[in-house]
Amino acid sequence: MSVLQQEALAAGYGVPAFCVWNAETIEVVLRTAQTLKAPVILMNGPGEFGLLPPAQMGAVAHTLARRYNVRAALHLDHGDSPETVDACLGAGYTSVMLDYSLRPIQENIEALQRVVAKAHLRGATVEGELGTLGQVDDVTVE
């Protein structure tokens, strides 16, 4: 659990996470969080990396975060490979997710263990997805 999450749990509030894909969306989220005096999680993943790869996304997010008086985490959401996780950790992401939910459970666990070892050396937290949710509504099937 990250420091932001620990503080939120202790004080009884939530920390929202917003999917961001470029400088403009990052800036809007940070500006709004500053106005509300609220911490925030900026998240993105493989779907957004076609616009800005992890190194550039991390650089943009960190540069913009220095302009605002707000606590912000940068999270890789649904990372699809250890290489993507490594790229995000190298770009200064404070939290990463490896989504191997469609892989055999043992492969998933072993990959997550390797990610945890790398991420914790950098002070980053890790999220994993063990298994699948199945059908979550009338349209989406996971």
Side-chain angles (χ1 to χ4, degrees):
M1 184 179 305
S2 73
V3 173
L4 287 179
Q5 292 168 316
Q6 290 171 353
E7 291 173 358
L9 181 62
Y13 62 87
V15 181
F18 297 95
C19 190
V20 294
W21 55 89
N22 59 20
E24 291 79 11
T25 57
I26 293 169
E27 188 156 26
V28 166
V29 170
L30 292 171
R31 184 177 342 119
T32 303
Q34 178 177 279
T35 299
L36 297 173
K37 297 179 175 72
V40 68
I41 300 168
L42 305 169
M43 67 179 188
N44 47 57
E48 290 77 38
F49 294 152
L51 295 171
L52 280 179
Q56 287 81 9
M57 188 77 76
V60 168
H62 287 288
T63 298
L64 290 172
R66 285 191 289 275
R67 294 182 182 176
Y68 293 92
N69 184 23
V70 64
R71 297 186 59 206
L74 181 56
H75 175 68
L76 165 62
D77 196 35
H78 293 277
D80 56 3
S81 71
E83 294 77 22
T84 300
V85 169
D86 289 346
C88 289
L89 289 170
Y93 280 59
T94 56
S95 176
V96 292
M97 176 193 192
L98 178 65
D99 185 349
Y100 265 22
S101 60
L102 298 178
R103 308 253 180 142
I105 188 73
Q106 193 57 41
E107 180 182 353
N108 191 339
I109 291 168
E110 290 169 1
L112 279 168
Q113 288 172 329
R114 289 189 297 273
V115 166
V116 166
K118 290 179 186 180
H120 286 186
L121 288 175
R122 296 175 179 262
T125 57
V126 176
E127 175 186 0
E129 187 161 332
L130 301 173
T132 59
L133 295 173
Q135 188 163 346
V136 295
D137 57 35
D138 290 338
V139 178
T140 306
V141 175
E142 190 172 308

